[in-house]
Amino acid sequence: MSASATMDVREKGGALAAAAAGRFDLLPVYKPEIERAPREQIEAVQLAKLKETVAYAYERVPYYRTKMDEMGVAPADIQTLADVRRLPFTDKAVLRDTFPFGLFAVPLDEIRELHSSSGTTGKPVVVGYTDDDMAMWSECIARLVQMAGVVPGDVAQMAFGYGMFTGGFGLHYGLQRLGCAMIPAGAGNTERHIQMIEDYGTTVLVATPSYAMHICEVGEKMGYDWEASPLRVGLFGGEPCPPGLKAEIERRMHIVCTDNYGLTEVMGPGVSGECLAERYQQHIAEDHFLWEVIDPETGEPVGEGEMGELVLTPLGKQGIPVLRYRTHDLTAVHTEPCACGRTLARMDKVRSRSDDMLIIRGTNVFPSQVEDVLTGIEEVTPHYHIIVETKDGMDFLIVETELRPEAFSDSFETMDALRRKIAEKLKATLLVAPTVRLVEPGGIERAIGKAKHVDDRRAK
Amino acid sequence: MTVSQISVFANSRPGHLSRVLDRFEEAGVSVRGFSASDTGEYGILRFVVDRPEEALEALREDGCACTVTPVLCLKLVDEPGELARVMGVLARCGINVVYSYSMISTYIVLSTTDPDRARALLASEPVELITQEDIARFSAARQGKGIER
């Protein structure tokens, strides 16, 4: 087997082999003139588009005009990128309060598609895309799927639900834009998904990571040979992808998996995507999104590369020109060029939100911390479930984790020692002592949509 | 000679023991002795079977956490003091018995979350329930004496 033959991105394992050898020149880049542009050039594009966007929002959206007038800031005051801080923040409540079309900047006859976010409380948020918005959205997706090694001619199978959720259609359009054949299979019917991969020679699977894991396990049970399968790339989204889970799917399905980031309020998927050089970070489409990282308490910017809340201003978006959208997602952004050759800034993958933090006996606990600890313990799988209960006024944290079959021993003493070890490791990180429950293999539910990891049973 | 015991990890929930037994039945494996013990949350099911390799393979196919442990199986003479005599041999040599269970799998003991309901349900099934008096009677019969009622 010659080294060059295995580095062909069209071959199974080729993209990972090229990345491992540092041969990023072998991996395709969709729009090198911007993805590899010098920082000054990226910032010049951003500034020109920011000025236009602010003027457009001020002229067309009464909410922003009133807000900016109140704050005493005019579109002409935006002279540098730092001037973005003079603009008002937008949070989800504004989009909800103006439901359905209050923030739309164009009449509905210029809107080609509506989507809405899966609002967990109250009304959903509805967004609309013009022709230009659709073109920009599909280009953002085309870029990030190429980052993952997808090439024109690939056959892509959709395992997201379509509907109002932006993930389904977003990836669908972007993959078509790149030149792939789409199979709009949709969510569910796992056996049929596996059959279609085999029948149609599917090379790319779009799924949530937890559903991809489910497809993997069902395939293994059916005796499907993932190593011999045509499937080469997994594109994940819809929920955060734990590194341990991704690595396990790559190993068991013999595919390369990347995930991307986005949210309906600013566009949908495509805001940023993972390249094969920095597997814990994602490149932001900076010519379409101006990012800021702020202290969620004060609203002030944090230092370069420090962790804070991500704030996004879509640049040149016509349907809804959102200014400074507060994502509540915690991340850090890095601007030095990447080994993959891209100069677009990289954000650390979002592992926690400022609002999914659990406060247990006065201590802040993030589900992602639990996941990180469990990923480092070889006797258990990365699947977990957190239960918070109150008993006699005290909060109790219960962590359920799945035993790996090979870690089982015919001794309560050994099993209890494992439980104690997991509890101690969790306590060292969380600073709260949890009760650990061992669950049999496969005993933790694999969610098809967003994996539900937390069950907070405390009275609200 | 040791015997290969099959141990299975199971969460303490209805249906787990029967799921394992169903797999054995499908695989044509016959259970000759078993024990199920728990910690409240999870338990270990232990089986002595006629074909341990097939049993293990069937369970692993199902993704069960299971393992094989060498154990000793003894046939005792049914006389008072016999159990004490055998345990005494091991105790004098400083060998600890971690767990022990009886292998004749046609007389079994069950501890359930709802004993009264479980008894009522089983009473309408073709299975014989043993009473405390029955046990006293077996013992007395073995010693050649009648029991006064």
Side-chain angles (χ1 to χ4, degrees):
Chain A
M1 185 165 63
S2 81
S4 63
T6 63
M7 283 194 222
D8 183 343
V9 294
R10 285 170 177 79
E11 299 283 327
K12 206 166 161 104
L16 278 181
R23 293 291 309 276
F24 291 101
D25 56 310
L26 298 175
L27 297 173
V29 178
Y30 188 79
K31 205 168 190 182
E33 65 272 28
I34 186 74
E35 294 184 68
R36 289 176 169 171
R39 183 123 294 271
E40 312 80 69
Q41 194 184 319
I42 294 170
E43 289 181 355
V45 170
Q46 286 183 314
L47 181 59
K49 290 177 85 171
L50 178 66
K51 286 179 178 177
E52 280 172 26
T53 299
V54 174
Y56 181 85
Y58 186 83
E59 273 165 33
R60 293 184 178 231
V61 184
Y63 171 82
Y64 284 120
R65 177 189 288 262
T66 310
K67 200 84 188 165
M68 285 169 65
D69 285 348
E70 278 171 19
M71 293 169 79
V73 54
D77 294 330
I78 306 301
Q79 291 304 320
T80 68
L81 285 178
D83 289 335
V84 73
R85 291 180 213 148
R86 304 183 61 176
L87 298 168
F89 285 120
T90 306
D91 63 25
K92 201 166 187 155
V94 175
L95 284 131
R96 242 187 237 131
D97 295 346
T98 56
F99 180 86
F101 305 131
L103 288 189
F104 279 44
V106 297
L108 270 189
D109 61 4
E110 288 179 41
I111 294 289
R112 292 292 157 266
E113 196 156 315
L114 290 180
H115 280 282
S116 68
S117 81
S118 50
T120 44
T121 50
K123 281 185 176 133
V125 163
V126 64
V127 294
Y129 304 77
T130 64
D131 282 326
D132 284 357
D133 290 342
M134 300 290 292
M136 166 243 199
W137 189 18
S138 19
E139 186 192 311
C140 287
I141 303 277
R143 286 186 199 177
L144 67 89
V145 302
Q146 278 234 300
M147 278 189 223
V150 178
V151 291
D154 267 322
V155 177
Q157 188 165 316
M158 176 64 66
F160 282 157
Y162 280 89
M164 298 302 283
F165 164 60
T166 50
F169 281 105
L171 269 291
H172 183 107
Y173 296 140
L175 283 156
Q176 283 188 331
R177 169 73 168 259
L178 181 66
C180 300
M182 278 311 299
I183 304 176
N189 204 339
T190 309
E191 285 84 0
R192 190 183 62 148
H193 267 292
I194 295 160
Q195 191 62 52
M196 288 168 100
I197 290 169
E198 186 57 27
D199 289 345
Y200 304 145
T202 301
T203 50
V204 178
L205 176 71
V206 185
T208 60
S210 43
Y211 190 51
M213 188 68 213
H214 182 68
I215 293 176
C216 172
E217 288 177 344
V218 170
E220 285 170 356
K221 275 191 189 159
M222 288 164 63
Y224 186 64
D225 183 353
W226 287 114
E227 194 171 1
S229 163
L231 196 68
R232 201 181 80 239
V233 180
L235 298 172
F236 295 161
E239 65 188 18
C241 181
L245 182 60
K246 186 173 76 173
E248 190 170 342
I249 294 170
E250 288 193 334
R251 182 177 58 79
R252 284 163 69 175
M253 289 180 97
H254 300 270
I255 59 178
V256 53
C257 305
T258 63
D259 59 0
N260 69 84
Y261 170 85
L263 57 172
T264 305
E265 293 80 0
V266 300
M267 184 175 73
V271 172
S272 67
E274 169 189 339
C275 70
L276 298 182
E278 288 289 350
R279 308 298 305 274
Y280 299 101
Q281 297 178 335
Q282 292 156 327
H283 287 284
I284 302 172
E286 284 187 283
D287 51 331
H288 296 300
F289 297 93
L290 181 66
W291 55 268
E292 298 169 74
V293 183
I294 63 165
D295 178 328
E297 298 296 321
T298 65
E300 292 302 312
V302 299
E304 168 90 29
E306 278 176 29
M307 175 87 122
E309 179 183 336
L310 182 69
V311 172
L312 292 168
T313 303
L315 301 171
K317 203 154 141 296
Q318 296 176 341
I320 306 181
V322 179
L323 302 180
R324 304 190 81 197
Y325 186 75
R326 293 196 57 163
T327 65
H328 294 286
D329 289 327
L330 300 179
T331 186
V333 178
H334 313 273
T335 53
E336 62 276 21
C338 180
C340 77
R342 286 180 183 79
T343 48
L344 292 176
R346 286 162 288 145
M347 57 184 267
D348 289 345
K349 283 194 184 173
V350 173
R351 303 296 311 288
S352 43
R353 286 177 54 77
S354 53
D355 49 8
D356 67 9
M357 183 174 79
L358 292 163
I359 301 176
I360 295 164
R361 289 179 231 159
T363 304
N364 299 346
V365 171
F366 290 100
S368 56
Q369 292 176 299
V370 171
E371 198 166 279
D372 287 344
V373 171
L374 295 178
T375 300
I377 300 173
E378 62 179 30
E379 291 94 338
V380 295
T381 71
H383 301 289
Y384 69 98
H385 189 223
I386 293 171
I387 299 163
V388 190
E389 287 179 343
T390 317
K391 211 171 171 185
D392 304 324
M394 273 272 276
D395 294 338
F396 286 90
L397 175 67
I398 299 159
V399 176
E400 294 185 334
T401 172
E402 227 174 62
L403 185 70
R404 281 190 196 275
E406 56 276 19
F408 170 63
S409 137
D410 173 53
S411 151
F412 282 109
E413 209 179 340
T414 312
M415 299 316 298
D416 269 342
L418 172 60
R419 244 157 51 117
R420 280 196 305 275
K421 177 176 102 171
I422 298 168
E424 278 161 22
K425 288 197 172 183
L426 284 167
K427 191 188 169 193
T429 299
L430 308 178
L431 309 175
V432 172
T435 299
V436 172
R437 285 186 190 156
L438 292 176
V439 174
E440 61 193 333
I444 289 178
E445 197 189 334
R446 310 289 194 265
I448 287 180
K450 295 196 179 198
K452 230 179 131 27
H453 290 302
V454 180
D455 181 4
D456 193 341
R457 297 176 182 168
R458 293 177 290 191
K460 290 277 155 35
Chain B
M1 284 290 277
T2 59
V3 166
S4 296
Q5 172 192 262
I6 308 290
S7 308
V8 187
F9 179 91
N11 289 111
S12 198
R13 276 204 298 263
H16 277 63
L17 181 54
S18 81
R19 198 184 73 195
V20 172
L21 294 170
D22 286 348
R23 289 299 288 128
F24 284 166
E25 200 181 342
E26 283 162 31
V29 169
S30 175
V31 174
R32 307 312 303 161
F34 73 96
S35 108
S37 35
D38 83 318
T39 61
E41 280 161 17
Y42 70 93
I44 300 178
L45 308 174
R46 299 180 168 110
F47 301 92
V48 174
V49 300
D50 57 346
R51 295 156 65 215
E53 273 164 31
E54 286 85 344
L56 201 64
E57 199 189 314
L59 294 175
R60 288 203 168 135
E61 258 175 31
D62 244 21
C64 285
C66 51
T67 186
V68 179
T69 315
V71 291
L72 299 180
C73 291
L74 309 178
K75 184 178 177 186
L76 304 183
V77 180
D78 193 1
E79 276 173 8
E82 185 66 3
L83 184 59
R85 182 181 70 83
V86 173
M87 294 301 176
V89 172
L90 296 174
R92 278 192 298 278
C93 300
I95 292 175
N96 187 32
V97 175
V98 184
Y99 56 84
S100 165
Y101 53 94
S102 167
M103 225 185 96
I104 300 171
S105 55
T106 53
Y107 283 83
I108 66 168
V109 179
L110 301 177
S111 168
T112 65
T113 46
D114 191 346
D116 291 337
R117 198 161 149 256
R119 188 184 50 76
L121 282 169
L122 290 171
S124 61
E125 294 288 323
V127 61
E128 194 180 343
L129 287 157
I130 307 297
T131 64
Q132 191 70 58
E133 287 76 27
D134 289 335
I135 294 165
R137 203 176 306 118
F138 298 149
S139 194
R142 179 61 70 179
Q143 289 163 39
K145 290 187 274 182
I147 186 165
E148 299 189 7
R149 307 210 82 178

